[in-house]
Amino acid sequence: MTTFKAGLVGVTGYTGMELARLLCGHGALELVRATSRSDAGRTLAQLFPGLTGLPLGGLTVSEPDVDDLAGACDLVFLAVPHGTAMDMAAALVGRGVRVVDLSADFRIKDPQTYAQWYGLEHRHPGLIADAVFGLPELNAPAIRTARLIANPGCYPTSAILGLYPALSRGFAEPDGLVIDAKSGATGAGRKAAVGSLFCEVSDTFRAYNLGRHRHTPEIEQELSRLAGRELRVSFNTHLLPINRGILSTCYARLARPATLAEVHAAYEAAYADAPWVRVLPQGALPETKNVRGTMFCDIGLVVDPRTDRLIVVSCIDNLCRGASGQALANANLMLGLDPATGLNLAPLVP
């Protein structure tokens, strides 16, 4: 098997940590550069003692340098905040390096919409059109030939996979969609912040950013494409007192009379060739513990004839499926590998 060289910019955050964990067992993609301005000179094992004795534990963290990355790597993962990623992505792509960007910098196709929601003018709008939205179940052919991947956000991954069959097969009305989503605390990142402290998260449950979460335009953009018309969603987020996991409950008005059996059959058909999407048996609903540390998206369905609604419950691990594992699947496709390479992972239970 051909071995490719990878770089990881921003190794010290949760998504960087998760990528390092996954790359330890990949086999065809070797991490040769891991960068961090604050921790340059230390080994990965010093940063993450859990990597001690594993192949990547001895890799020394370096300062991010585009020329060095371009010379050493076939592909680079950018696990840095929005606004920071766009310049480095443009520089690397310009040097012929394939890039998977885990930030939001290339997800939104309209630069004005990006500026509105992220408070920042896009400095490389000409590159946005080249970026492929990296949802493997929907965009695999384009991902294979891409030079730049906009890795989807965690909430959008859950919501889009949950609603795709209902919208594309005409079961759900595009108007009036409500997405009620809950995330574990790692979704807030690894930065020090009062709201993420253990005593602030444990033994409580709260909503946040109602009506203004930055993943809203990403969800609307992709669902509009699937529905074949522009739509708006009511996207509402909550913080769970757990480390990993997203559970999204999506509510849609039925576009036509349908039984649970009919909707369930349509979902199974839509994901027949998507091994990471598990449409649960009729009557079963997903739980975060069953997807922890994996690429799975578990989907449960309810047809409520009393309210004439379809209820879709979609569940993923926000760090693996919602970020780093999905980034690795995209890298596999870009490099001509089996997308599941290094990602055949069983859930971490209990």
Side-chain angles (χ1 to χ4, degrees):
M1 180 184 292
T2 303
T3 300
F4 297 94
K5 308 294 185 182
L8 170 54
V9 180
V11 71
T12 56
Y14 287 132
T15 55
M17 292 169 63
E18 184 78 343
L19 259 169
R21 177 181 78 88
L22 296 171
L23 287 168
C24 276
H26 191 277
L29 191 57
E30 179 187 0
L31 186 65
V32 296
R33 294 290 187 275
T35 80
S36 167
R37 297 189 188 280
S38 60
D39 289 292
R42 304 177 69 188
T43 66
L44 288 183
Q46 287 174 320
L47 289 177
F48 313 130
L51 296 182
T52 301
L54 294 173
L56 293 182
L59 181 64
T60 299
V61 176
S62 59
E63 292 267 356
D65 180 273
V66 169
D67 291 330
D68 178 58
L69 288 163
C73 304
D74 300 299
L75 180 144
V76 172
F77 299 98
L78 300 180
V80 293
H82 73 273
T84 301
M86 66 175 77
D87 294 331
M88 186 160 285
L92 288 167
V93 169
R95 286 166 170 79
V97 180
R98 283 163 284 196
V99 173
V100 180
D101 176 23
L102 281 80
S103 85
D105 280 350
F106 295 97
R107 297 174 189 161
I108 308 300
K109 293 301 182 182
D110 181 4
Q112 292 183 339
T113 302
Y114 174 87
Q116 174 188 344
W117 285 86
Y118 286 87
L120 178 69
E121 293 296 323
H122 206 290
R123 294 186 294 277
H124 302 278
L127 198 55
I128 295 175
D130 290 342
V132 174
F133 192 73
L135 202 55
E137 286 82 1
L138 304 187
N139 299 328
I143 293 168
R144 288 190 178 95
T145 60
R147 57 178 183 159
L148 172 61
I149 294 296
N151 208 61
C154 50
Y155 279 128
T157 296
S158 175
I160 295 165
L161 289 176
L163 287 169
Y164 156 61
L167 287 169
S168 64
R169 284 161 168 74
F171 285 103
E173 288 281 1
D175 293 327
L177 293 174
V178 177
I179 302 167
D180 180 79
K182 293 97 173 166
S183 174
T186 51
R190 204 181 178 205
K191 62 185 179 296
V194 171
S196 301
L197 295 175
F198 176 82
C199 289
E200 303 296 328
V201 174
S202 178
D203 196 31
T204 190
F205 178 49
R206 66 175 184 264
Y208 70 99
N209 286 349
L210 297 185
R212 56 187 179 89
H213 196 283
R214 286 173 168 173
H215 283 170
T216 303
E218 182 181 342
I219 294 171
E220 291 181 342
Q221 170 186 282
E222 296 303 309
L223 292 184
S224 294
R225 183 175 63 84
L226 296 173
R229 50 159 288 189
E230 187 174 345
L231 56 75
R232 292 286 178 265
V233 302
S234 176
F235 176 54
N236 308 297
T237 51
H238 307 75
L239 183 64
L240 291 170
I242 61 176
N243 291 336
R244 290 173 176 256
I246 283 178
L247 191 142
S248 298
T249 306
C250 309
Y251 303 88
R253 289 195 297 267
L254 285 167
R256 54 186 169 87
T259 66
L260 175 57
E262 290 172 328
V263 177
H264 189 270
Y267 268 73
E268 287 194 319
Y271 290 124
D273 298 320
W276 289 320
V277 179
R278 302 188 295 196
V279 181
L280 302 187
Q282 296 180 45
L285 296 173
E287 300 181 47
T288 58
K289 70 177 182 180
N290 295 328
V291 299
R292 189 182 299 131
T294 77
M295 284 291 289
F296 291 121
C297 174
D298 284 0
I299 295 177
L301 301 166
V302 174
V303 172
D304 183 1
R306 189 181 66 86
T307 59
D308 201 32
R309 288 188 183 275
L310 170 64
I311 304 170
V312 182
V313 183
S314 174
C315 187
I316 66 169
D317 181 309
N318 60 297
L319 286 182
C320 191
R321 180 61 216 241
S324 304
Q326 188 147 260
L328 186 51
N330 285 318
N332 287 339
L333 285 165
M334 295 170 82
L335 296 170
L337 302 170
D338 184 325
T341 305
L343 292 169
N344 288 318
L345 306 166
L348 304 170
V349 292

